[in-house]
Amino acid sequence: MESLKIEDFLDYNYLSELNISPDGKYVSFLQHRADYDKNNYSSNIYILNRESEEYCKLTELSDKNQYMWIDEKSIVFSSNKDRELQLRSDEGESWSCYQIIDLESKKVEEYMRIPLEVTSIKNIDGEKFILTAQYDNYGVELNGAVGDERIKKLEKIRESKNYEIIDEIPFWGNGKGFTNKKRNRLYMYNRLSGEIYPISDRISNVNYYSYRDGKIVYTVNRFTNKQEQREGIYSFDISTKSEELLLAGEEFRVNFVEFFNDGIICGLNDTKDYGLNQNPKFYTIKDGELKLFKENDSSLSNSVGSDCRYGNNRNFRENSGELYYITTILHSSVLRSLDEMGVERTISSADGSVDGFILADKEIYFIGMKGLRLQEIYSIKNGVEKRVTDFNEKIYENKELSRPEKLSVVSNGVEIEGWVIKPTNYEEGKMYPAILDIHGGPKTVYGDIFYHEMQVWANLGYFVFFCNPHGGDGRGNEFADIRGKYGTIDYEDLMNFTDKVTNSYPIIERKIGVTGGSYGGYMTNWIIGHTNRFACAVSQRSISNWFSKFGTTDIGYYFNVDQNMSSPWKNPEKLWWHSPLKYANRVVTPTLFIHSEEDYRCWLAEGLQMFTAIKYHGVQARLCMFKGENHELSRSGKPKNRVKRLQEITKWFEEFLK
């Protein structure tokens, strides 16, 4: 067996975007892999023959990673092979190009060009398509411009690169850059006539849509000055091009909306009892009437953390009068169904994570992580779960891995779930250093699935331990609600769990490190200002000052207020009390800060402030800033930067813990 190394994630295969052919014979999906030399990710379409269970690569994809079935033997995918069109796009024109591939001959040819920056697309009948595309209210429409008009517009585009206009909040978004007056707009597109028909208006974002029998149902967030965390629901009749308001965008956060029997079903959160993180309830809308269909106290998503995923997956699908969805229960995510009588069934086994799924007759396929296996595709038929791919089997069979051992502690009156990963070279009686790893969110969970960085550290001779403190997902609204309590009960949970680990494993040296990202970075900053028990710390994409985060990040103006139950003008003392920066003068722990220059979720200023503060007070500190990266550095950052990030963190631990 070989030791697992930092660079080994370059050999991992990541899976996403399950779909099924119109005749039901094939399951299609995307396979992604890091390319260190090109410093990006390659993406390929694969098809799986359901009868033989054989699968093969079909074709490569462009960066947009969009594909769809057109008929039983043809797939359309995003790809631009036209050099001239690429040059026009570089100048500022908006184009999305698609190729079509025949499954039998493997022949590829151009299928269509859409003069929009398409963000998602769905086939209706090979002629008509539903799509979303970016619309810039302040942008310059260069498509079709010629002569003097084009020269003037090109000059205006060049000038606009020297400044940004900001007149609304949020003004930027993590992974999106500046978003001021830019919207994700819904369109109908006719491939034969070239007609583009805008369905949603110019100031609305469409975040979710679904299609059935000539109708589209979709969510709308309309704003001009400040984006509120509320959405409306509309339906659109394709034949008559008529729009109908189903739910005004004033009361609810809309989690999803799908057709359901002869009406629609949606997940709505009124935020009244537990704030923004409140779990949605199931509602139906029929004949213009909104009704509560089913109470719910679990999240409607997969929140089980891992640094070994890439790409997007759907959480909801409707089939034959049943809604299928992914939910997180304790430390696992599972697939459930909900029928027209309100009866729920858990379909997948309650271990690991379900990352995406597709329905195929009486069979279900899902992308999952089970035990220490990386992502593979599994099938469920007649209640039997079966793995049908082996993309990552060599990693599982050939690399030294350490299975997490369950360890719980009672804290604040509740049993807190946690795990300990022993060093792969573990010997009885030998002393080892250890690392406490804290998850983000806070409304996410750790489970016992594969986590690359933890397994790397176990291979380097560290104990790694982690738990799910108050504020996490999987245990209902009350457990997840830490509004106004950041740094209190969650801090106590983490310290109580640390005590439990050191008492249960006395061979752990007193040299313990702590790390975490996002909310985990916040807690790392908080911990070093409230205890000196850790020999070193690594704070990643962190929060240090609730005041500055309020005014500089894409979610700060509403997330901070909700989670702290205060604002810079309402009880500012409380906002400062919960800011780790307040306690920076107490810090003695050597700390490494990892931050990305374009992280607009937890902006660079958060790391810089905490770094400056503890440096000012004479504490050993280092900050590593990654250019061109955002909040997702550890999960989908450029491969070279992901390697460098983990090298920096590991080097810090090696210096202070060994």
Side-chain angles (χ1 to χ4, degrees), residues 527-545:
I527 285 169
I528 61 176
H530 288 79
T531 180
N532 62 359
R533 71 183 299 176
F534 295 94
C536 69
V538 181
S539 173
Q540 306 173 59
R541 57 186 189 278
S542 67
I543 302 165
S544 64
N545 183 351

Side-chain angles (χ1 to χ4, degrees), residues 306-340:
S306 175
D307 54 359
C308 296
R309 298 188 181 103
Y310 189 88
N312 300 311
N313 290 290
R314 282 185 61 176
N315 282 348
F316 305 92
R317 296 184 187 271
E318 184 274 340
N319 185 59
S320 301
E322 281 192 271
L323 176 73
Y324 293 79
Y325 61 96
I326 297 172
T327 183
T328 299
I329 305 297
L330 294 176
H331 58 274
S332 297
S333 60
V334 297
L335 180 62
R336 279 184 171 175
S337 68
L338 179 66
D339 68 17
E340 60 184 337

Side-chain angles (χ1 to χ4, degrees), residues 3 66 85 153 161 191 225 281 289 317-318 364 456 469 474 476 503 507 524 551 618 632 650:
S3 293
Q66 297 168 4
L85 194 65
K153 287 189 173 183
K161 292 180 179 179
R191 184 175 71 91
N225 294 306
K281 299 177 183 178
E289 185 178 3
R317 296 184 187 271
E318 184 274 340
I364 296 172
V456 167
N503 290 331
I507 41 76
T524 300
E632 301 304 309
T650 303

Side-chain angles (χ1 to χ4, degrees), residues 450-462:
F450 190 100
Y451 220 107
H452 176 69
E453 64 182 37
M454 295 186 189
Q455 291 294 332
V456 167
W457 295 330
N459 271 263
L460 289 172
Y462 293 94

Side-chain angles (χ1 to χ4, degrees), residues 525 539-544 593-599 601-608 623-627 629-631 633:
N525 289 343
S539 173
Q540 306 173 59
R541 57 186 189 278
S542 67
I543 302 165
S544 64
F593 295 89
I594 301 288
H595 237 97
S596 297
E597 188 178 33
E598 297 174 13
D599 184 345
R601 185 65 39 82
C602 296
W603 195 34
L604 174 62
E606 296 300 304
L608 290 174
L623 188 144
C624 184
M625 182 191 74
F626 289 90
K627 297 181 179 181
E629 297 290 358
N630 60 50
H631 200 65
L633 167 64

